[in-house]
Every structure is written in C-alpha cells, then in structure tokens.
Amino acid sequence: MNNNKSASTPHYQPEIKPRRMAFDTQPPARKYTFRDNSLVSTFFYALSALFPDGERFFIHSVRHYREQILDPELQQQIKGFIGQEAHHGVSHEQLNRAIESLGFPMSKITGAMLKRIEFLKTLSHSRQLALTVAMEHFTASLAEFLLKNPDILDDVDPTIRQMLIWHAVEEIEHKAVAFDVYRRCVNNEFMRKRVMVIAMVSLFSRLAWYQVQMLWADRHWPSLREWREAWRFFWGKRGILRDNMKGLAKFFRTGFHPWDIDQQALIENWQQRFPDVAALQR
Ligand SMILES: [Fe+2]
Ligand SMILES: [Fe+2]
C-alpha cells in the first residue's frame, strides 16, 4: 500500500483540535424545541440518540488501521479525530439524559442502537471503516447546512443550539480523517459507494423508527401544521435533507475526496460568528 506518501492531491486541512465545552445540563424548556414541531424536534433527538455509540464505533473502526499509518501528519489527525468524537459522545449522552427527562425513551433507543453497533463490529474491518467514511460524509454535509443556515436554530433551546454548532464545526474539521485512512489502507471505490447506499437506507429508517417510538411514548400525533412545516424543513427549497442529497451525489464520483467540497470559510471564523458557543470552551 502506498502508505508513506499522500494518496490524494494536496488540499486544505485545518488543525483538528478537540475542545472541552461547558454546556448547561438543564432539559429544554419546551418539549418540542424546534419550532414546537414534533417531527423536526424528534429528528434531532433521534440523531442525538445515535451519536454517542455511533461515534465510539467510528473511533473503533479507525483504530483498526492506526498502526498501519506511517504518515505522522495523518497520525496527528487521527488523534484529533478520536479526541473530538469522544467529546461529542459524552456531550450527547448528557443531552440524551436531558431529553429523557422530558418523557422520551432515550435509554431504550440507545440500548437498541448499542445492539446494532455490536452487530456492526462483526463486519470486516474494511467494511466498518467504509461505514464510518459514509457516516462522516453525512455528518459533514449536515454540519455545512447548519453553519450556512444557523437561523434555523434561532428559537431552539440554547444548549441544543450551542451543541449542534460546536459539533458541526468539529465534524467539518475532521471530515477527511477516516476517508484518508480508508484511501491509504483499503482504497476500494466500489465498496465505498455501495456501503454509502446501505448506510443511508439504514440510517433514515432507523431515525424514522426512533421518532415513531418517541412520539408514541408521548402519545403525540403530529398535526397537519407540523407535517407541512416538517416537509418544508426537510425537503423544501432550503430543506436540510434536500441540501444533504446534493452532498451525497458528490460522494458517488470516483476519485472524490471530502475536501473537494470547500467548507473552509464555514469553520475558519466560527468563533466570531458564534461568540456564545466559543465562550463555552474550557
Ligand atoms: Fe461527532
Ligand atoms: Fe465525525
């Protein structure tokens, strides 16, 4: 394997710096903190349920290859990636407890997620890493949307808003780490694309199922207003998933690299754009 030399063309690479954050641990004041919309709110709660064990799985899948990486720069990036994902997991666990106190079955959902992860760990190391590459692309696209459209978080609970902004910045900073490890140690373009298709089908069905469980626990049936707003929020002109699909399409290009999508401007000046989030750094 061409391990000592960079297998990709030079690209922008920010410093990957894990930040310790002091988030408030209080539950959101409103049960459905995203515009009082249960469909939008539970989508983000379901994502938060996926994060802790999901991100620990990402770390696990990269660690399999860590010793094969001889490039000290990439080694340093792996270290930053592991530190960032570990912090994300801990913060989202804290948030999940706060969401649980609103009456949502977060422990049950994260328990089911953990079982899924145990299964994923039985797959080949290369497939596990391809799955991480796919999920990292998804989170970086979501992060881009949030940092480009932070106004959608304006009326959201401040802790959730701050956590999402911080998480988004770090997801973009480390978006190419698992990818670069994959390219150097596995480098199977067909598997990368095929696993992305499976990952997206599995992710969206899992998210929807978790949302159903949350709404069922609350005995809440979304109103017509909520369905309409949610449709616009996800698939409208400035819809979050519609935007995500554009990033997804790029992933299927042979030879694609995460930094082919220029997100540099979104993370370079984040501390000025989000001073309240920057102030939470310890
Ligand atoms: Fe993360
Ligand atoms: Fe990540």
Side-chain angles (χ1 to χ4, degrees), residues 55 58 81 85 88 135-136 139 167 170-171 174-175:
E55 299 192 301
F58 301 164
F81 162 79
E85 294 294 40
H88 299 169
M135 291 305 302
E136 286 287 278
T139 48
H167 198 160
E170 296 196 347
E171 282 307 316
H174 73 228
K175 69 174 177 170

Side-chain angles (χ1 to χ4, degrees), residues 38-281:
S38 63
L39 294 162
V40 177
S41 301
T42 54
F43 173 80
F44 283 95
Y45 299 166
L47 265 181
S48 185
L50 289 175
F51 280 137
D53 289 308
E55 299 192 301
R56 282 192 279 268
F57 170 78
F58 301 164
I59 294 173
H60 171 86
S61 71
V62 168
R63 274 203 178 124
H64 288 141
Y65 290 95
R66 202 176 183 180
E67 284 178 7
Q68 292 182 36
I69 299 296
L70 306 176
D71 173 356
E73 256 174 60
L74 186 52
Q75 272 294 352
Q76 193 57 34
Q77 291 165 17
I78 293 172
K79 197 172 159 207
F81 162 79
I82 291 175
Q84 287 188 338
E85 294 294 40
H87 285 167
H88 299 169
V90 172
S91 296
H92 277 275
E93 266 170 348
Q94 201 178 72
L95 176 61
N96 292 346
R97 279 194 289 276
I99 296 170
E100 176 129 39
S101 72
L102 298 173
F104 296 111
M106 297 301 273
S107 310
K108 188 179 152 209
I109 291 172
T110 51
M113 177 63 188
L114 194 56
K115 274 201 189 134
R116 176 72 185 165
I117 299 284
E118 291 309 322
F119 162 73
L120 295 175
K121 285 183 177 172
T122 65
L123 300 175
S124 68
H125 291 177
S126 55
R127 233 186 250 199
Q128 291 184 41
L129 187 61
L131 180 56
T132 296
V133 168
M135 291 305 302
E136 286 287 278
H137 181 74
F138 169 79
T139 48
S141 303
L142 209 62
E144 175 181 327
F145 182 85
L146 292 178
L147 295 177
K148 267 187 186 160
N149 304 281
D151 56 296
I152 67 158
L153 300 173
D154 277 354
D155 81 327
V156 168
D157 170 72
T159 301
I160 295 184
R161 179 186 152 277
Q162 290 158 348
M163 205 178 278
L164 287 174
I165 298 284
W166 157 73
H167 198 160
V169 169
E170 296 196 347
E171 282 307 316
I172 292 183
E173 284 177 345
H174 73 228
K175 69 174 177 170
V177 177
F179 189 100
D180 285 337
V181 173
Y182 181 85
R183 185 168 269 184
R184 289 180 199 208
C185 300
V186 182
N187 202 18
N188 179 337
E189 286 288 84
F190 179 66
M191 184 198 271
R192 177 175 73 78
K193 296 175 195 178
R194 187 166 49 98
V195 169
M196 174 58 103
V197 175
I198 301 167
M200 288 302 105
V201 172
S202 156
L203 171 71
F204 285 109
S205 38
R206 194 158 284 273
L207 285 172
W209 172 231
Y210 291 168
Q211 287 186 266
V212 168
Q213 290 185 50
M214 287 184 208
L215 295 172
W216 179 254
D218 195 33
R219 299 289 185 271
H220 179 92
W221 182 244
S223 66
L224 200 58
R225 167 195 71 86
E226 288 176 282
W227 281 106
R228 263 202 225 110
E229 270 179 14
W231 179 262
R232 237 177 288 135
F233 183 85
F234 291 118
W235 297 108
K237 217 169 160 195
R238 207 169 58 117
I240 189 165
L241 295 182
R242 186 174 175 164
D243 188 80
N244 208 278
M245 292 303 131
K246 288 183 213 154
L248 198 59
K250 294 180 185 148
F251 187 88
F252 287 95
R253 197 175 57 72
T254 299
F256 166 81
H257 185 275
W259 281 110
D260 292 347
I261 303 174
D262 183 5
Q263 293 160 331
Q264 182 176 352
L266 292 172
I267 52 169
E268 265 187 349
N269 59 353
W270 76 273
Q271 319 228 14
Q272 286 78 47
R273 288 176 66 209
F274 306 105
D276 62 316
V277 185
L280 295 173
Q281 295 176 93

